[in-house]
């Protein structure tokens, strides 16, 4: 810490006051860089804490695996029925109908019964995703579970059950068919959590939080730490500096008389 000696006449004091007001109202990029370098330890500490918490939480979570199968939707040709699959509108109608049929309670109940699972149909449907491959006649079935083998078995069984029910219950005039084109394989790696991705996102958030905390600390810190900073804030030159020093107290030894 330094004690600065500056001119104290009225004109210079007024200039100093004006300089302080102007400096406090402006904040340039160089000031931001100075604050970041000055409070770099704060930013690094915040980043380490945030990244550590995010990665630790990711490793603590139970991994989730995802298995996918593909179902091919088609319509049999006939002499007295219209081929809806020949038009874009007709294909879209068929796909939407198939998706609704697959993502239904009867399919879930039959799949649970075949696999001997102890779960509700609503639970199976919550983990099942049914969507169309854009501009094609294929429907992708995706199932998520903490057990990769179980996920593959369930999605393959759902594909088989939906294909059979759709072929059996479709109207005679439409003759819609759905066949499992590609069965799901047992996934090797989980889809979530992703410690690397979470760590990167946490690092970005930690940097932003650390810079904000550094700026707050700088705003609350009103001390002057160098003669140059005194000149920058006051706007007048510094004549001399008086360093702080402490007086040492000498201890006198007392002799005792026998």
């Amino acid at each position: 810490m330094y004690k600065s000696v500056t001119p104290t006449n009225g004109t210079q004091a007024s200039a100093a006051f004006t300089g302080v007001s102007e400096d406090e109202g402006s904040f340039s990029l160089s000031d931001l860089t100075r604050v970041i370098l000055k409070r770099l330890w704060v930013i690094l500490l915040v980043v380490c804490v945030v990244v550590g918490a995010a990665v630790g939480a990711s490793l603590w979570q139970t991994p989730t695996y995802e298995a996918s199968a593909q179902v091919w939707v088609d319509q049999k040709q006939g002499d007295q029925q219209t081929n809806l699959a020949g038009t874009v509108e007709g294909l879209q109608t068929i796909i939407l109908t198939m998706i609704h049929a697959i993502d239904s309670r009867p399919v879930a109940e039959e799949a649970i019964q075949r696999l001997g699972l102890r779960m509700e149909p609503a639970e199976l449907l919550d983990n099942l995703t049914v969507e169309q491959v854009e501009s094609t006649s294929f429907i992708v079935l995706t199932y998520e579970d903490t057990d990769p083998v179980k996920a593959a078995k369930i999605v393959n069984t759902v594909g088989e059950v939906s294909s059979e029910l759709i072929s059996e219950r479709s109207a005679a005039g439409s003759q819609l068919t759905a066949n499992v084109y590609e069965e799901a394989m047992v996934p090797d790696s989980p889809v979530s959590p992703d410690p690397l991705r979470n760590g990167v996102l946490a690092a970005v958030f930690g940097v932003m939080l650390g810079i904000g905390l550094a700026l707050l600390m700088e705003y609350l810190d009103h001390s002057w730490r160098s003669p140059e900073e005194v000149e920058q804030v006051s706007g007048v030159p510094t004549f001399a500096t008086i360093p702080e020093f402490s007086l040492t107290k000498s201890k006198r030894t007392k002799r005792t008389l026998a």
Side-chain angles (χ1 to χ4, degrees):
M1 298 292 293
Y2 295 87
K3 294 182 179 180
S4 61
V5 180
T6 58
T8 57
N9 59 68
T11 304
Q12 291 173 334
S14 176
F17 179 78
T18 304
V20 172
S21 300
E22 292 177 354
D23 291 340
E24 288 180 353
S26 61
F27 192 81
S28 62
L29 182 60
S30 60
D31 295 329
L32 177 61
T33 305
R34 177 181 58 82
V35 173
I36 292 177
L37 295 177
K38 179 180 177 181
R39 309 285 184 179
L40 184 60
W41 66 272
V42 176
I43 300 175
L44 294 178
L45 179 60
V46 173
V47 170
C48 291
V49 172
V50 175
V51 171
V55 174
S58 299
L59 296 177
W60 184 263
Q61 295 178 1
T62 303
T64 301
Y65 296 86
E66 188 178 87
S68 299
Q70 293 190 26
V71 174
W72 181 25
V73 178
D74 197 8
Q75 183 181 23
K76 293 181 180 179
Q77 298 291 336
D79 297 334
Q80 299 179 352
Q81 53 95 22
T82 304
N83 183 18
L84 297 177
T87 62
V88 176
E89 294 80 5
L91 175 63
Q92 190 65 24
T93 301
I94 294 175
I95 296 298
L96 292 177
T97 302
M98 294 297 184
I99 291 176
H100 181 74
I102 296 172
D103 193 15
S104 62
R105 176 176 289 272
V107 173
E109 291 178 346
E110 181 65 22
I112 292 173
Q113 182 178 359
R114 291 188 182 184
L115 294 174
L117 302 176
R118 306 179 67 177
M119 61 188 308
E120 296 295 328
E123 181 181 354
L124 187 148
L125 295 177
D126 288 340
N127 296 323
L128 179 67
T129 302
V130 185
E131 57 185 0
Q132 176 191 8
V133 179
E134 187 177 0
S135 303
T136 67
S137 300
F138 289 94
I139 297 176
V140 178
L141 313 180
T142 305
Y143 191 84
E144 294 184 358
D145 196 89
T146 56
D147 185 354
V149 177
K150 182 179 178 181
K153 288 183 177 180
I154 289 179
V155 74
N156 287 332
T157 304
V158 169
E160 295 175 359
V161 171
S162 59
S163 300
E164 295 173 3
L165 292 181
I166 289 173
S167 300
E168 292 175 359
R169 299 185 181 184
S170 61
S174 61
Q175 296 183 357
L176 299 178
T177 61
N179 301 307
V180 178
Y181 183 81
E182 181 180 353
E183 293 187 348
M185 304 294 293
V186 178
D188 298 328
S189 57
V191 293
S192 66
D194 190 347
L196 179 59
R197 180 189 60 187
N198 295 340
V200 172
L201 295 178
V204 175
F205 176 75
V207 170
M208 297 173 60
L209 182 62
I211 293 177
L213 182 59
L215 292 176
L216 178 61
M217 294 176 64
E218 187 69 17
Y219 176 78
L220 297 177
D221 186 6
H222 300 291
S223 61
W224 296 345
R225 301 183 181 275
S226 66
E228 293 78 11
E229 188 173 356
V230 175
E231 293 182 2
Q232 180 182 3
V233 174
S234 63
V236 295
T238 301
F239 288 163
T241 59
I242 304 175
E244 286 191 349
F245 59 91
S246 58
L247 296 176
T248 59
K249 297 180 179 180
S250 60
K251 296 183 180 179
R252 296 181 178 180
T253 58
K254 297 181 180 181
R255 298 181 178 179
T256 57
L257 297 177

